């Protein structure tokens, strides 16, 4: 029997009994548990096979709730929260002593966001605790953007995926932390650097290598299909190097229809970057399920969310 269900009451009951429920958000599906339940949090790490040094994002029902989990909030963080919550922005802030260190991997900071999905917002409002929810995929695999992706990964490990349909945004939240009052982007994501800078001025972007222990989203190989994957800015050139292989192509813009390619999907036939973000992981799931030797993904323009999508594709190719 399918574990996918719209039963909000059952989700609430499971979470109140220290169990895990996969929840929909506008970015990707999350594997959620009560942040104050040691049983639930340990189960999240175990289910995902995620190393304990990787902290989890805390999901709260609204901005007013923030003071229950974070303190000493920089003014620029408040401005961003006011503008973008609910939405695909995660803030890393000093944690309240009551937030368990299991969530924060022993750090004094906690990552927090208000997700923008009606079903999950409703759920969060009926619970009297926030939800820790990393993406609902085994560590390093492609993130789930449909309830069926989660079911494929975890049908034997969790009891329920709360059905909220396909995720609207499709790639993870943008993570912003602070050094004093200075904003630093820890992970590129749905919210573009341009949108952030329009509200708080210039931000720095953390060097990948430096953040390794802090941000698994920054791990070099991540979000990856099982099939060998190549990021290409000249498909014709890449095809020449791949003779006799069964090739899948994930293109951008109108379909290219190369004779060497056995399956082609376009991330957006009208070259729309938001549509490409929304479709990226589902297209990767689809191509990975076919028996291909290699997947070529066309590099997108490095502007706005295109930069974040290229970041994810690059990590899938390592
Ligand atoms: P996921 O939910 O799987 O997309 O991953 C959660 C992301 O939030 C990871 O990249 C974490 O490293 C990041 N994160 C969570 N807490 C912190 C923190 N205290 N400092 C820096 N990054 C964090
Ligand atoms: Mg993840």
């Amino acid at each position: 029997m399918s574990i996918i269900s719209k039963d909000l009451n059952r989700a609430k009951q499971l979470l109140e009994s220290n169990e895990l429920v996969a929840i929909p958000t506008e970015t990707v599906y999350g594997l959620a548990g009560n942040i104050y339940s040691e049983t639930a949090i340990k189960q999240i790490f175990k289910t995902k096979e995620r190393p304990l040094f990787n902290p989890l994002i805390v999901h709260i029902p609204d901005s007013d709730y923030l003071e229950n989990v974070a303190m000493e909030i920089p003014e620029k963080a408040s401005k961003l929260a006011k503008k973008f919550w609910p939405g695909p922005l995660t803030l890393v802030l000093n944690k309240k002593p009551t937030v368990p260190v299991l969530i924060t991997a022993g750090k004094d900071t906690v990552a927090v966001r208000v997700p923008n999905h009606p079903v999950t917002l409703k759920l969060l409002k009926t619970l009297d605790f926030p939800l820790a929810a990393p993406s609902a995929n085994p560590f390093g695999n492609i993130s789930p953007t449909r309830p069926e992706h989660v079911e494929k990964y975890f049908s034997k490990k969790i009891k329920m995926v709360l059905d909220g349909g396909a995720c609207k945004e499709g790639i993870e939240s943008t993570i912003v932390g602070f050094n004093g009052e200075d904003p630093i982007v820890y992970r590129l994501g749905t919210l573009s650097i341009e949108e952030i800078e329009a509200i708080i001025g210039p931000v720095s972007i953390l060097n990948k290598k430096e953040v390794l222990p802090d941000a698994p989203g920054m791990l070099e190989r991540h979000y990856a299909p099982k099939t060998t994957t190549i990021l290409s800015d000249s498909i014709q050139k890449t095809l020449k190097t791949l003779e006799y292989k069964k090739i899948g192509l994930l293109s951008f813009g109108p379909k290219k229809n190369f004779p060497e390619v056995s399956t082609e999907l376009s991330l957006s036939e009208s070259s729309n970057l938001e549509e490409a973000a929304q479709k990226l992981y589902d297209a990767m799931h689809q191509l990975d399920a076919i028996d291909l030797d290699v997947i070529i993904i066309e590099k997108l323009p490095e502007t706005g969310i295109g930069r974040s999508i290229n970041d994810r594709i690059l990590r899938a190719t390592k």
Side-chain angles (χ1 to χ4, degrees):
M1 214 186 80
S2 174
I3 58 168
I4 301 171
S5 155
K6 288 192 176 3
D7 189 344
L8 210 62
N9 272 328
R10 177 144 184 271
K12 176 174 152 70
Q13 280 161 13
L14 286 168
L15 290 163
E16 285 171 346
S17 323
N18 305 316
E19 302 227 31
L20 307 186
V21 173
I23 56 167
T25 79
E26 79 279 35
T27 60
V28 303
Y29 272 74
L31 184 62
N34 174 358
I35 71 160
Y36 299 114
S37 162
E38 194 177 318
T39 312
I41 301 309
K42 285 190 170 154
Q43 195 59 29
I44 290 178
F45 283 100
K46 194 170 160 207
T47 307
K48 276 184 65 81
E49 296 170 52
R50 178 171 172 124
L52 282 165
F53 66 76
N54 287 348
L56 305 177
I57 296 176
V58 171
H59 293 68
I60 58 173
D62 51 45
S63 301
D64 292 342
Y65 197 94
L66 184 59
E67 62 186 46
N68 296 303
V69 291
M71 56 189 197
E72 298 154 358
I73 297 159
E75 201 186 318
K76 286 178 180 170
S78 304
K79 272 192 182 168
L80 289 175
K82 189 158 181 249
K83 175 75 186 171
F84 296 116
W85 280 355
L89 164 77
T90 297
L91 293 171
V92 175
L93 303 166
N94 286 340
K95 80 175 192 71
K96 273 276 170 74
T98 44
V99 175
V101 285
L102 197 54
I103 301 280
T104 67
K107 293 143 117 25
D108 297 333
T109 51
V110 62
V112 192
R113 88 176 185 105
V114 181
N116 189 14
H117 192 293
V119 173
T120 288
L121 282 175
K122 204 164 167 189
L123 175 67
L124 283 166
K125 287 188 168 95
T126 68
L127 295 170
D128 52 15
F129 48 83
L131 294 173
S135 52
N137 53 307
F139 185 68
N141 286 39
I142 309 169
S143 299
T145 54
R146 292 176 176 274
E148 296 78 18
H149 298 157
V150 186
E151 181 168 57
K152 203 172 72 186
Y153 285 138
F154 294 140
S155 65
K156 295 195 175 66
K157 294 193 170 173
I158 61 173
K159 292 190 177 145
M160 180 175 174
V161 182
L162 182 59
D163 188 357
C167 302
K168 287 212 164 59
E169 304 287 0
I171 62 170
E172 287 79 354
S173 61
T174 305
I175 303 181
V176 181
F178 293 85
N179 182 5
E181 291 286 320
D182 298 336
I184 305 163
V185 173
Y186 288 143
R187 176 177 76 185
L188 298 173
T190 295
L191 196 63
S192 69
I193 300 293
E194 291 89 333
E195 287 169 287
I196 293 171
E197 291 190 330
I199 305 301
I200 57 168
V203 296
S204 51
I205 301 173
L206 208 60
N207 177 311
K208 272 183 247 167
K209 296 259 169 2
E210 273 174 47
V211 300
L212 261 186
D214 277 6
M218 291 298 225
L219 283 175
E220 293 237 309
R221 184 178 160 83
H222 210 92
Y223 317 106
K226 294 199 167 54
T227 315
T228 304
T229 302
I230 298 171
L231 174 65
S232 169
D233 48 19
S234 167
I235 297 168
Q236 242 152 347
K237 266 193 206 153
T238 305
L239 284 173
K240 286 204 184 100
T241 67
L242 296 171
E243 241 179 314
Y244 310 120
K245 297 224 157 137
K246 200 166 169 206
I247 300 167
L249 173 63
L250 197 48
S251 55
F252 183 63
K255 288 248 179 89
K256 313 273 183 303
N257 299 317
F258 291 106
E260 300 93 325
V261 169
S262 62
T263 309
E264 176 177 6
L265 300 176
S266 173
L267 286 175
S268 169
E269 300 219 19
S270 60
S271 304
N272 176 308
L273 288 171
E274 278 73 30
E275 184 186 1
Q278 204 264 335
K279 286 191 176 162
L280 176 70
Y281 291 138
D282 187 47
M284 276 162 60
H285 277 281
Q286 283 185 48
L287 290 178
D288 205 22
I290 312 171
D291 191 24
L292 296 166
D293 295 319
V294 63
I295 299 170
I296 305 173
I297 309 184
E298 185 171 8
K299 192 171 178 201
L300 308 194
E302 274 281 316
T303 56
I305 197 172
R307 187 169 171 183
S308 308
I309 304 170
N310 284 335
D311 168 88
R312 297 303 189 275
I313 300 171
L314 195 62
R315 285 169 211 287
T317 63
K318 291 282 159 100

